[in-house]
Amino acid sequence: TKMFTAGFIPGFMLGGGLCLYNYFVSKKRGYRGNTVTMTRKEKINTFKGAIPAILMPVIVLGGIYSGIFTATEAGAVSCVYALIVAVFIYKTLTWKEVLRIIRDSAVACSVILFIMGTSTVFSWLFTVSGISGWLVSSVTGAGLGYYPILLIITVILLIFGFFLEGIATVSMLLPLFIPIAQAVGIDLLHLGMIVTMTNVMGCMTPPVANNIFAASTFTGLPMGRISRGELPYLGCFFVVLLIVVFCPGLIT
């Protein structure tokens, strides 16, 4: 829950930066929105129809902040709520499609579990072999300060993000980084936010770029073209990441 709350300010900064860039690009290229006009009655009816969908974030955020469930459990709650709304209220999903979704989700989760299992073995080896202890003593003995160590950790996370899926990166590196962070007084909430942001950026950087793969699948555009188009957005991420690194107060 603390991590969820800590992400609000970086989230608004990032959303604002992306919106600002979108605004200038849209103006420069002459993009126009939907020109269809609606009557007052149509607007009211549309809003009424959207209420079940709008309630999802209300339920999720309300449940987290009231302490009814954790941020992780909110994912399960939102899935159940979405299922009920899609099948019984909007009727956009059939039970046959629900079964297919469950099957596809099981396959996707199994891949993640395999990655986590393998990463856990690596983490265990690092600990048992004494590499973790050696790294901590080496870094702390080098006399590096708070921000140099944070920058080193950030750069390593970005590099690993090029080649590994986010959960694998977290499982492999956090057991090494946490003792180092604690040794120099880095707040784990601050470290967690840096890990989260670098993982998201890893999803946008080839060769292992889940977001680019997904965008290419949906749009039919080549990955190279999408990669070039996302560079300014990646720049927004990088600027906010640097602010988060050097301004821990925004998180803590």
Side-chain angles (χ1 to χ4, degrees), residues 203-226:
C203 292
M204 301 165 63
T205 50
V208 182
N210 296 344
N211 288 2
I212 297 179
F213 279 116
S216 180
T217 302
F218 289 128
T219 62
L221 295 171
M223 288 184 61
R225 184 176 173 188
I226 295 172

Side-chain angles (χ1 to χ4, degrees), residues 28-85:
K28 183 180 178 182
R29 298 181 183 176
Y31 293 157
R32 292 287 181 270
N34 192 339
T35 55
V36 175
T37 55
M38 299 173 72
T39 63
R40 184 183 180 86
K41 186 178 180 181
E42 286 174 331
K43 289 178 181 178
I44 292 171
N45 289 335
T46 302
F47 178 74
K48 285 180 180 177
I51 287 174
I54 294 170
L55 281 176
M56 181 186 278
V58 175
I59 292 169
V60 170
L61 294 174
I64 291 171
Y65 288 114
S66 63
I68 297 173
F69 44 72
T70 65
T72 305
E73 291 164 349
V77 172
S78 60
C79 276
V80 173
Y81 178 75
L83 178 66
I84 293 169
V85 170

Side-chain angles (χ1 to χ4, degrees), residues 77-211:
V77 172
S78 60
C79 276
V80 173
Y81 178 75
L83 178 66
I84 293 169
V85 170
V87 173
F88 296 108
I89 299 178
Y90 290 141
K91 297 180 180 178
T92 52
L93 276 181
T94 64
W95 284 110
K96 185 178 179 181
E97 289 171 324
V98 170
L99 290 173
R100 178 182 57 79
I101 290 168
I102 292 172
R103 183 197 64 203
D104 292 345
S105 299
V107 172
C109 289
S110 66
V111 173
I112 293 170
L113 288 172
F114 273 116
I115 291 170
M116 289 179 68
T118 309
S119 302
T120 304
V121 174
F122 275 110
S123 301
W124 178 81
L125 284 172
F126 276 125
T127 305
V128 172
S129 64
I131 293 175
S132 297
W134 174 78
L135 271 174
V136 173
S137 58
S138 298
V139 172
T140 52
L144 296 174
Y146 186 99
Y147 290 111
I149 288 178
L150 260 185
L151 278 174
I152 291 170
I153 289 174
T154 302
V155 169
I156 292 171
L157 286 167
L158 286 171
I159 292 170
F160 269 72
F162 283 115
F163 306 104
L164 286 178
E165 201 272 335
I167 292 175
T169 303
V170 169
S171 301
M172 285 182 65
L173 296 182
L174 272 191
L176 302 177
F177 288 160
I178 287 175
I180 295 173
Q182 289 173 326
V184 296
I186 296 170
D187 192 295
L188 293 186
L189 207 58
H190 189 200
L191 176 65
M193 194 51 55
I194 291 170
V195 171
T196 302
M197 291 194 68
T198 51
N199 268 352
V200 174
M201 292 173 71
C203 292
M204 301 165 63
T205 50
V208 182
N210 296 344
N211 288 2

